[in-house]
Amino acid sequence: MNENPKPDPHAPRSVNVTEPWTRAYWARYFEVPVEAVEDAVATVGEDPGAVAAHLGKSWPAQDGGGIV
């Protein structure tokens, strides 16, 4: 198992919470309520790594997030 996978060049560079569908995407990705994503962005900014750390999640998610 590779401990340090290469960054995904297609991974989003920011956590956008301006639209309902993007809030829903991130909530599902991080498997948390929408309000938790909004709070994380308000607290740490839009960097996905910082948001993930604030939520206690990995970035990028090891399993691709909650998206199926």
Side-chain angles (χ1 to χ4, degrees):
M1 181 173 183
N2 189 355
E3 292 295 318
N4 296 314
K6 290 184 180 179
D8 181 355
H10 304 291
R13 298 186 193 280
S14 67
V15 178
N16 178 350
V17 293
T18 60
E19 300 291 333
W21 72 270
T22 58
R23 288 190 295 271
Y25 169 85
W26 286 109
R28 196 165 160 209
Y29 184 90
F30 289 124
E31 298 177 329
V32 297
V34 170
E35 296 80 10
V37 175
E38 292 171 323
D39 177 59
V41 170
T43 303
V44 300
E46 296 180 349
D47 177 67
V51 171
H54 184 78
L55 296 170
K57 305 291 183 171
S58 62
W59 177 259
Q62 297 300 321
D63 62 356
I67 307 303
V68 287

